[in-house]
Amino acid sequence: MRVFGAGVVVAVLGGVGLVPAAAEGTPGLWYYDNYGVQEAHDSGFTGQGVTIAIIDSPLYREMPALADANITVREPSYCDLSDTPGTRAPATSSNPEEASHGTEMTMFIAGNGDGGAPGVQAPLGVAPDAQINYYAALFRNLDFGPDFSSVADCYRDKKGAFQEALAEAITQAVDDGADIISMSLGAGATRPVVQAVTYALQKGVVLVSGTSNDLVTASGLSTLNGVVTLQAETPAGAIVANSAKVDPAVTVVGPGGDILTLNRSWTSFGTSSGTSMATAITSGFLALVKSKYPEATGNQLLQTLIRNTGSEDHDLFFDPAGYWGYGSVSLQHMLRVDPTQYPDVNPLFDKDFGSPLFEDVFGASAQPTSAAPAGAVTLPDLLLWGGVAVGGLVVVAAVTTVLILRNRRKTTPTTPTTPTTPTTPTTPTTPTTPTTPTTPTTPTTPTTPTEGL
């Protein structure tokens, strides 16, 4: 069931509750400055007591920004060494071409901002005291040229095995006690992946992923029931242009445009955009909510994520145009509301792909609870989803190994000084609501996986 709340469009879309784009602070750290992260930390909510699993590329554990982070790296990785089939590669690497992406995602959650050289600012982590369990399940050859492209996969015995590696990493992360699993990547909805997702959902673990960084709708992992699917938002409160499309799989829109990221080396930074950043940062936001409300279940974290979007209270809302999902992620709003008041039921079992089924996860006797609040206006799924089911299945079948990493839109690299601690953000009286884009035609099913990096 998708819900349309009357009169709340302005309240939940387009960066509501954020300060204007020219906010005080370092360029690329607006996700930290504008969402009240420092205020949350000052109130004692830092992610302590919460375990976040990150599944990504290898990690550069010696990154200065991660020096005091609580990180446990699962060794070895889930992939073979390229020149030694049958021997697993290490899960850590000092090569930026191999480890930059996973290292960045970890900094967004647990980084201390140390750029490794005087005056160099690295990303600040939104949940610095969370326990990070790290799993390397893919490798890639990174091209730092003008197009900034990559080819990613995980090989075993000279055969592509990313789906199996991801499934094993998800299962291991659950067994290791993860509360939240952050996956800034994409994968096909193969049997091993669906089985691993089902297992995680049965254990009440929050799964966070992202839509594609292009105009093709989400596929595979991000279309699975129960999984949070992120779209990326800019500081101006608009969806990142490269990925602005009708996408019924999108759950919410999080900060992912013009974010401070690595630029060619471990001590050089610029800005870039993509759903990878939105995925990691939103995972960290949920950890802050969990640290304030430790009794909240994973399902109740999902409930508060979709109900408390934007800055103001409102009826449950789902964007009828298909761009914003339930609206813009709001850390401040979630922290104001005790999630334990909500049903302990995963509310994301209505995605178009339809797998896994609710009864397959929770048993035939379990009944999903509608997220619709009393008095909300509801419309049949057909009105939202009509005409995309077959196309969605075809796309899922075509995707085998796809990284939904970031589309680099590089600006001049920055070496800012330590940012001024942000003051309480000023909520704009009239938020910027993006103009509804022209509805795209049904995308052509790709024959070759689209790389989003």
Side-chain angles (χ1 to χ4, degrees), residues 49-204:
V50 182
T51 298
I52 303 175
I54 299 175
I55 302 176
D56 212 289
S57 70
L59 175 72
Y60 179 41
R61 186 61 185 91
E62 304 307 313
M63 186 73 188
L66 298 176
D68 48 2
N70 305 313
I71 302 176
T72 300
V73 180
R74 193 268 189 191
E75 288 284 8
S77 74
Y78 291 86
C79 310
D80 283 357
L81 288 166
S82 59
D83 56 352
T84 313
T87 302
R88 294 285 187 263
T92 58
S93 172
S94 60
N95 182 352
E97 294 185 1
E98 288 185 344
S100 62
H101 187 267
T103 304
E104 286 172 339
M105 299 308 110
T106 308
M107 286 191 288
F108 294 138
I109 295 175
N112 61 24
D114 184 354
V120 178
Q121 177 71 56
L124 288 167
V126 299
D129 291 333
Q131 169 63 40
I132 305 298
N133 290 346
Y134 197 91
Y135 307 84
L138 57 94
F139 282 74
R140 74 192 189 283
N141 295 316
L142 188 62
D143 177 10
F144 277 108
D147 296 333
F148 200 83
S149 61
S150 71
V151 176
D153 208 331
C154 179
Y155 288 92
R156 295 177 180 176
D157 298 322
K158 299 183 179 181
K159 297 179 181 179
F162 175 56
Q163 315 299 328
E164 292 76 10
L166 176 61
E168 291 171 17
I170 292 173
T171 301
Q172 187 63 55
V174 174
D175 290 343
D176 289 342
D179 297 299
I180 300 162
I181 301 180
S182 180
M183 299 173 285
S184 294
L185 47 81
T190 59
R191 182 179 295 275
V193 172
V194 174
Q195 289 175 336
V197 166
T198 299
Y199 178 62
L201 296 175
Q202 288 171 338
K203 298 296 185 179

Side-chain angles (χ1 to χ4, degrees), residues 271-293:
T271 58
S272 58
S273 300
T275 60
S276 283
M277 291 80 95
T279 297
I281 293 168
T282 299
S283 296
F285 286 171
L286 290 172
L288 296 187
V289 178
K290 175 73 171 175
S291 68
K292 180 174 182 179
Y293 303 102

Side-chain angles (χ1 to χ4, degrees), residues 386-410:
V388 299
V390 174
L393 290 173
V394 172
V395 171
V396 170
V399 175
T400 56
T401 303
V402 181
L403 264 185
I404 302 180
L405 307 182
R406 64 192 177 277
N407 281 329
R408 287 267 182 170
R409 295 191 296 119
K410 281 292 184 182

